[in-house]
Amino acid sequence: MQSTTMVNRLVGRLTKKESLDRYLDKDSLLEKSMNAKDLLLLGVGTVIGTGIFILPGTVAALYSGPGIIISFVLAALVCATAAMCYAEFSSALPVAGSAYSYGNIVFGEFVGWVIGWALILEYMLSVAAVSTGWSAYLISFLKGFGINVPKAITGSFDPAHGTYINIFAVLIVLAISLLLTQGVKTSTRINNIIVIAKIVIILLFVVVGLFYVKPGNWTPFAPYGSHGIMRGASLVFYAYLGFDCVSASAAEVKNPKRNMPIGIIGTLIICTLLYMAVAAVLTGMVSYTKLNVAAPVSYALQIVNQNWVAGVISVGALAGMFTMMLSMIYSSSRLIYSIGRDGLLPKKLGKINMKHQVPSHSLAAVTIVIAIMGGLVSLDRLTELVNIGTLIAFTMMSLGVLPLRKRKDIENTGFKVPFYPVLPIISAGLCIWMLVQLPLDTWIVSLVWFALGVILYASYGVWHSQLHTEK
């Protein structure tokens, strides 16, 4: 009987749910300055990176042919199910921390912690990986002007191959973090300008490319059959990941019930249209059989002697990576702030700098970790872990809509997922199916990561938690 009582107490402790009112009170110190336009540009800035200049070509060449256009639509439909679940959560629970905070409120602290630990993996790894890509692109760009960067500062710590630090990866992370310390208004304004410039560059390619489209290149439309289109959809699915970062800003948004759903779902619509437009023009300009190259968009422009546009595309690629890193570092800092706010990490991380109304301690912490990873660690084998972290959060948020709807103490007069409960269950099923497709070695490494998370929670978090210490 005693052991049963102890188990019941433990289960009760781990499943104890956070209070929405406490979160709203704590997050009230953050500045509410973002509107629907800001959210849309934040989302597009995160989702549209260099992938838009690479994926349509390589996936078309190897799997989908011109049917890559349909592949992007199918992938967007899969993402849309999870996006609608996020939109309902952010409308009902306008708090910082995205899926971590949502999990704490509807599932309890332990599940919330696991989701948060998965998101830490997603956010920090993805920024570190993109920072190394940005560095490589910049070094190549400078080389075009005859500027050669010493090899020693162009790669991760690997003395055997002559590299010691990826200095540009470190510097871009530090520069973005410095920008974010100036407050949401300043960073949002700069992000908006760069994202708009990036969209203009993408549209420039589409408009110029239209003049060189040969309809015959779209035949056959599906050379690898419907299986190829489906395979292409499974690959380009990951091009859409990042829209969930929009939900991290919920506590800093004006009228979140209206603006959060617009930001999340609108991001998906805009990005789908841009991906489809690039894919259609690219496969129309050049036969899909010739597009399995490192930079298919630049390759297509060079074929039609539009080298000046290819040069502009390089600038667009740098801009795309910059805005993605800005959005993800921003989201990372809000996630770590939220976990510190709850005491599961040192409470200092949950403090707000009142001058600029930003969580400066959590921003500094994520900056140091990301800069070290991007500057010193080889991430080639680890980037697939980003997908696991994302899909676990997607799965839990899809299932989380079910208990959220049953909570009488949480009023949601904003967006609600249609076809409830069928659509949230379908969304969870699709996410689980995508998880199963990931390689075994990726799963093994991720299990080590989650084991570390459980150890940290058991040794520190559970004893310092706001829920544990409150009387």
Side-chain angles (χ1 to χ4, degrees):
M1 284 294 292
Q2 188 175 4
S3 60
T4 303
T5 302
M6 289 180 65
V7 169
N8 289 338
R9 287 180 62 188
L10 177 62
V11 171
R13 170 69 189 84
L14 297 180
T15 57
K16 187 174 181 182
K17 298 174 177 61
E18 266 289 0
S19 162
L20 173 59
D21 289 338
R22 188 181 79 82
Y23 275 173
L24 291 172
D25 180 58
K26 288 283 186 179
D27 294 346
S28 64
L29 297 176
L30 294 167
E31 182 182 12
K32 294 183 181 296
S33 62
M34 301 176 75
N35 55 33
K37 180 195 73 175
D38 297 328
L39 292 174
L40 285 170
L41 292 172
L42 178 71
V44 173
T46 308
V47 175
I48 299 290
T50 52
I52 196 167
F53 303 122
I54 300 170
L55 275 178
T58 54
V59 175
L62 298 174
Y63 302 102
S64 303
I68 182 69
I69 302 165
I70 306 301
S71 296
F72 275 115
V73 175
L74 293 175
L77 290 174
V78 172
C79 274
T81 59
M84 285 189 282
C85 295
Y86 267 90
E88 175 161 345
F89 266 103
S90 61
S91 178
L93 311 174
V95 296
S98 186
Y100 159 75
S101 296
Y102 305 154
N104 268 346
I105 292 172
V106 298
F107 291 118
E109 183 178 88
F110 181 70
V111 173
W113 166 259
V114 171
I115 295 172
W117 196 242
L119 290 176
I120 290 173
L121 185 68
E122 173 196 350
Y123 293 168
M124 294 195 181
L125 263 182
S126 58
V127 178
V130 173
S131 72
T132 62
W134 191 91
S135 173
Y137 227 101
L138 180 64
I139 290 168
S140 176
F141 188 72
L142 292 174
K143 194 173 183 179
F145 291 93
I147 302 172
N148 292 306
V149 180
K151 183 180 178 182
I153 58 173
T154 61
S156 58
F157 185 76
D158 187 4
H161 291 89
T163 58
Y164 294 86
I165 186 171
N166 194 330
I167 191 66
F168 290 120
V170 174
L171 291 176
I172 190 60
V173 170
L174 293 177
I176 290 172
S177 296
L178 181 62
L179 171 61
L180 288 169
T181 62
Q182 302 307 302
V184 174
K185 279 185 179 178
T186 301
S187 56
T188 298
R189 191 179 303 119
I190 293 175
N191 178 74
N192 291 355
I193 293 170
I194 297 175
V195 172
I196 290 171
K198 177 170 61 175
I199 293 173
V200 169
I201 290 171
I202 293 169
L203 294 178
L204 173 67
F205 164 73
V206 171
V207 172
V208 172
L210 277 173
F211 290 97
Y212 299 94
V213 165
K214 298 176 182 177
N217 286 330
W218 290 325
T219 305
F221 187 73
Y224 305 106
S226 59
H227 173 74
I229 290 177
M230 294 299 293
R231 174 63 175 151
S234 70
L235 292 171
V236 302
F237 169 84
Y238 298 108
Y240 288 103
L241 301 187
F243 69 81
D244 53 311
C245 288
V246 177
S247 67
S249 61
E252 295 164 272
V253 174
K254 295 179 284 189
N255 192 7
K257 289 186 184 297
R258 170 187 176 272
N259 290 330
M260 290 306 299
I262 292 174
I264 293 172
I265 298 172
T267 291
L268 206 56
I269 293 171
I270 292 171
C271 292
T272 301
L273 292 174
L274 290 174
Y275 277 127
M276 289 175 65
V278 170
V281 171
L282 181 61
T283 54
M285 290 174 67
V286 181
S287 170
Y288 70 91
T289 59
K290 299 178 182 179
L291 292 175
N292 187 25
V293 294
V297 166
S298 295
Y299 171 72
L301 289 166
Q302 288 163 6
I303 284 180
V304 298
N305 294 316
Q306 291 292 336
N307 292 314
W308 71 274
V309 183
V312 175
I313 292 294
S314 297
V315 176
L318 287 169
M321 287 185 275
F322 180 91
T323 57
M324 184 273 180
M325 287 186 286
L326 188 148
S327 302
M328 295 296 269
I329 293 174
Y330 165 82
S331 300
S332 300
S333 66
R334 271 46 179 183
L335 172 64
I336 298 300
Y337 151 77
S338 301
I339 300 175
R341 169 197 63 191
D342 296 340
L344 302 183
L345 288 176
K347 288 186 177 180
K348 195 172 184 179
L349 297 172
K351 301 294 184 182
I352 303 291
N353 179 321
M354 294 311 299
K355 180 179 178 181
H356 296 294
Q357 293 179 281
V358 296
S360 54
H361 291 133
S362 64
L363 180 58
V366 301
T367 299
I368 292 168
V369 173
I370 293 170
I372 290 173
M373 291 171 64
L376 300 174
V377 181
S378 175
L379 301 170
D380 295 342
R381 301 281 299 171
L382 297 178
T383 49
E384 276 197 330
L385 292 173
V386 172
N387 299 332
I388 279 188
T390 304
L391 288 169
I392 286 174
F394 281 12
T395 303
M396 297 309 297
M397 289 303 93
S398 299
L399 295 173
V401 173
L402 306 179
L404 176 65
R405 287 282 183 99
K406 296 177 181 178
R407 291 282 294 271
K408 304 299 183 185
D409 58 320
I410 298 176
E411 181 184 9
N412 181 14
T413 57
F415 179 84
K416 292 185 178 181
V417 179
F419 308 113
Y420 172 90
V422 176
L423 202 57
I425 293 172
I426 290 174
S427 176
L430 289 170
C431 293
I432 291 170
W433 180 78
M434 297 295 288
L435 280 166
V436 171
Q437 308 306 308
L438 294 172
L440 179 61
D441 57 347
T442 302
W443 272 106
I444 292 172
V445 176
S446 70
L447 288 174
V448 173
W449 172 258
F450 284 107
L452 290 173
V454 171
I455 292 170
L456 180 58
Y457 175 76
S459 60
Y460 181 89
V462 74
W463 304 108
H464 297 83
S465 164
Q466 178 76 25
L467 286 176
H468 181 73
T469 56
E470 68 182 12
K471 303 301 181 184

